Amino acid sequence: MSTWPRPRHWGIDASGTLVVEDTATGVAAGIAAGATVYGYSNGGPTSTVPELLLAAGATQVFTSMDKLPALASKQ
């Protein structure tokens, strides 16, 4: 985990923030910051499989960036 101060260290409330991450480590960092995290897995050879993103705490996983605007508008 990063040693950088979390957003609340600076008085920032990350609870209204949506983070999009494609790694389990990134998902965990977003969760630790207090944000809602969506996982992105495009199925490519270096893509993290959806199950790992969900296991790391992603609220949901999507497979195409074209879907992000609709997902984010529901956030």
Side-chain angles (χ1 to χ4, degrees), residues 3-27:
T3 58
W4 287 91
R6 294 184 176 148
R8 59 186 156 264
H9 172 81
W10 291 294
I12 299 170
D13 179 11
S15 65
T17 303
L18 174 61
V19 172
V20 174
E21 262 300 333
D22 63 349
T23 66
T25 304
V27 169

Side-chain angles (χ1 to χ4, degrees), residues 28-61:
I31 299 292
T36 298
V37 182
Y38 287 179
Y40 172 67
S41 180
N42 67 6
T46 61
S47 181
T48 304
V49 295
E51 294 80 12
L52 289 178
L53 298 172
L54 291 168
T59 303
Q60 62 180 310
V61 176

Side-chain angles (χ1 to χ4, degrees), residues 57-72:
T59 303
Q60 62 180 310
V61 176
F62 63 102
T63 59
S64 171
M65 282 292 177
D66 292 340
K67 296 179 181 179
L68 182 57
L71 292 171

